[in-house]
Amino acid sequence: MMGCWILNESLSVILVLSWLGVNLYLFIDTFCWYEEEESFLYTRVILGSTLAWARASAVCLNFNCMLILLPISRNLISFMRGTSTCCRGLWRRQLDKNLKFHKLVAYGIAVNATIHIVAHLCNLQRYHWSQSAEVQGLPATLSKLGNAPNESYLNPIRTFHTNTITELLTTIAGVTGLIISLALVLIMTSSTESIRQVSYELFWYTHHVFIIFFIGLAIHGAGRIVRGQTPESQLLHNVTFCRDHHAQWQKMAQCPMPQFSGKEPSAWKWVLGPVVLYACERIIRFWRFQQEVVITKVVSHPSGVLELHMKKRNFKMAPGQYILVQCPSISWLEWHPFTLTSAPQEDFFSLHIRVAGDWTEALWKAFGAEGQALKEPWSLPRLAVDGPFGTTLTDVFHYPVSVCIAAGIGVTPFASLLKSIWYKCESQTQLKLSKVYFYWICRDPKAFEWFADLLLSLETLMSERGKAHFLSYHIFLTSWDENQAVHIALHWDENTDVVTGLKQKTFYGRPNWSNEFRQLAYAHPSSSIGVFFCGPKALSKTLQRMCHLYSSADPRGVHFYYNKESF
C-alpha cells in the first residue's frame, strides 16, 4: 500500500509544504525586520505591531501574486511537459495538478489580503487616535510633525476631526486597496464550483477582473502611506537617544527634527515577470485567433452532442490533448476548453461538444443543429482555435498497462486515444503499451451511438490482427426505463449487444470498483498500471482511493498510478 503511489503523493505534499515554508519564512523575516528596524521605530510608536503585520502580509501577498499566473500559463505547461528533460515520471505528474496549485495560491492571496486589510484598518484607527487631545508624549509629538515649514509628516491623518474613511479614499493606497479588495472578492466568489456549474460565462468574465487587480496592485504602494525615517535623517538624528528627549528636538544639536519618507513600492517588481509571461500567452492566443480554421464537417448526434471536423495550417496534436475554442458571433471574449476526439494520424481534428450551458447552447443553434438540416459549410459561423495543450492523458502510452475510465461526456478524451491505438495497430507500430482496459459509465443509451462505431472498428481490427486481448472494454448503463429493459431482455441471447452493437455486452448498474481493481492487480501482479480518469469529482476520489488500496508495498509488485484529466 506504500510503493510509488505514496512517493507521488509525498512529492505533492513536499511541494505544498515548500510553498507554505517560503510563505512562513517571508512572513516571519519581514515581521521581525519591521519590529526591529530603527528607521521605523517612530512609526511603531504610533502603530505598534500592526505595522509589522501589515508589511509581512504584504510581502507574502506579493509572493503569491507572483505565482498565481504561472499554473494557468498553458503554453508554458505544455512546453515543460513536452520538451523539458526534468519533467518526467513523478515530476511530470505534478504539472497535471497545475489548477490545484492555482487554487492553493489563490487561498494564500485571500488569507494574506485579509491580514493586510485588517492590519491597515487598525493602523488607520491608531493614526487617527494619535491626533486626539488625550494623547501626550512622543506619539503626540510625532503626529504633529509636518505642521511647520521644513518638516515632513509621519502621520497621514492630519487632524483628529477628519473622517478616516473619507481621508482613506482620497489616497492612492486607499482607492487602489478598495479596488483590489472588491476585485479579489468578485474573483473568489465567482470561482466556486457551484457558480462554475451554473454559469461558466459568469466565472469566465469575472475572472478577467484580474487585470484590474494587477494594475491596482502595481500602483497600490505609490501613495507611500506607511512612512519611515530617511537614511540621511538617521545619521543626524539618533533615535535611541532622541526618543527620550522629544521635547528638546530642534533645540539640541544632536536631535534635529526627524525627516520621513514613504517606502518605495515593490509589488510591481514581484509580478512583472509573470505578467509579461502571461501577456506573451495572450499574444500567442491572438496570433492563433487570426489563423483560419476551416470547418469540413458538422454532425448532430442524439442527446445534444455536436461533432465538428476542422482543419488548420500546421496544426499538430497528440492523443488526449485539448484546445480552446472561440466563436466570435457568440462572444469575442469567451474561450472554452474542449478535448480533441480525433487522432494525430487523421488529416483533420475534431470535437464532440455536449450542450451544457449558455455558450454551448448558442453554438448548437449557430450551427443549425436544432433544425432538421444543418447549415451549409459556407454559412457556418467562424471559429477560432488556440492550442493544442498537453494533459495527463498523453502519458497513456508510457505504461505497459493502462486503465481508462470515463463518465458521461468524459469519454471524449479517450476517443482520440482509442483512434490513435487503432492507427498504430493498423501500421503495426511497436508499443510499450500492451494492454488497455476501458470503462465507460453513462446514463443515456443514446449517448453510446456516436462512440459505438469507433469501438466496433477497433474491435474488428484487433480481431483481424490477432490482438483481441489488447483492448478490454466495459460499458455500464446506469439508467433505463421499463420498455428498454424488456427490449434488452428479449435480445440478450444475440451475438451482439442490443444497445451498442458490439460483441462485448453492456453492463447495467455501476461498477464494483473494489472487485475491478482486485482483478486488475491479480492479472498484472508485477506491472506499473496507469489509471486515467475523466469525470465527476466524487468518482475521482473513489478511484484514487482504489489506486492507493491495491498498490503493493513491495517495489516488485503491482503499482497503480492515478491521473485525472483537468482543464
Side-chain angles (χ1 to χ4, degrees), residues 171-288:
T171 64
I172 294 175
V175 172
T176 55
L178 180 62
I179 292 172
I180 291 169
S181 301
L182 292 175
L184 182 61
V185 169
L186 190 60
I187 291 171
M188 294 290 288
T189 53
S190 64
S191 299
T192 58
E193 189 171 355
S194 57
I195 295 293
R196 292 202 313 272
Q197 290 178 349
V198 172
S199 178
Y200 183 85
E201 289 77 13
L202 177 62
F203 159 75
W204 177 265
Y205 284 117
T206 54
H207 231 59
H208 281 73
V209 177
F210 84 91
I211 298 172
I212 297 174
F213 177 89
F214 274 96
I215 293 174
L217 183 69
I219 62 177
H220 178 61
R224 305 189 182 191
I225 198 168
V226 175
R227 298 166 70 83
Q229 196 174 359
T230 64
E232 296 80 6
S233 177
Q234 284 183 275
L235 295 175
L236 302 173
H237 181 105
N238 189 313
V239 293
T240 306
F241 174 78
C242 296
R243 65 180 296 180
D244 298 323
H245 301 84
H246 58 88
Q248 285 79 41
W249 285 359
Q250 197 70 15
K251 297 176 183 178
M252 300 175 63
Q254 60 267 49
C255 290
M257 283 294 180
Q259 300 296 316
F260 300 93
S261 65
K263 190 175 184 298
E264 284 199 14
S266 60
W268 67 271
K269 299 176 184 178
W270 288 85
V271 301
L272 180 62
V275 166
V276 169
L277 180 65
Y278 191 76
C280 293
E281 287 269 329
R282 289 308 180 102
I283 292 171
I284 293 172
R285 179 175 297 180
F286 180 76
W287 173 67
R288 288 172 174 168

Side-chain angles (χ1 to χ4, degrees), residues 299-369:
V299 181
S300 175
H301 292 283
S303 67
V305 175
L306 180 67
E307 181 181 353
L308 300 177
H309 289 205
M310 294 167 281
K311 289 185 178 182
K312 182 179 178 182
R313 182 178 297 177
N314 298 325
F315 186 89
K316 296 179 181 180
M317 60 162 289
Q321 289 188 316
Y322 71 96
I323 59 174
L324 295 174
V325 177
Q326 185 202 68
C327 183
S329 63
I330 299 175
S331 171
W332 281 92
L333 298 176
E334 293 183 45
W335 292 79
H336 291 255
F338 295 101
T339 309
L340 292 163
T341 55
S342 53
Q345 294 85 350
E346 294 174 310
D347 63 352
F348 63 90
F349 61 96
S350 65
L351 302 173
H352 284 73
I353 302 172
R354 180 169 63 91
V355 177
D358 295 340
W359 191 88
T360 50
E361 184 177 355
L363 187 71
W364 175 269
K365 292 178 181 178
F367 279 87

Side-chain angles (χ1 to χ4, degrees), residues 459 491-498 501-505:
E459 184 181 63
H491 296 83
W492 182 256
D493 293 331
E494 295 183 5
N495 292 330
T496 57
D497 183 71
V498 66
L502 299 168
K503 294 179 181 179
Q504 173 67 53
K505 295 298 181 74

Side-chain angles (χ1 to χ4, degrees), residues 39 101 109 123 188 190 202 230 279 340 485 507 511 519 522 558:
S39 62
F101 184 66
I109 290 175
N123 289 337
M188 294 290 288
S190 64
L202 177 62
T230 64
L340 292 163
F507 298 92
Q519 291 174 15
Y522 179 79
V558 63

Side-chain angles (χ1 to χ4, degrees), residues 6 29 51 61 137 174 281 371 396 403 407:
I6 294 296
D29 182 65
L51 168 67
L61 192 60
E281 287 269 329
V396 164
V403 180

Side-chain angles (χ1 to χ4, degrees), residues 497-540:
D497 183 71
V498 66
V499 176
T500 62
L502 299 168
K503 294 179 181 179
Q504 173 67 53
K505 295 298 181 74
T506 299
F507 298 92
Y508 300 92
R510 299 184 183 278
N512 184 324
W513 290 114
S514 184
N515 288 342
E516 297 294 335
F517 273 82
R518 187 182 298 111
Q519 291 174 15
L520 289 169
Y522 179 79
H524 307 279
S526 301
S527 296
S528 296
I529 302 176
V531 178
F532 299 85
F533 173 69
C534 186
K537 185 180 294 185
L539 182 52
S540 175

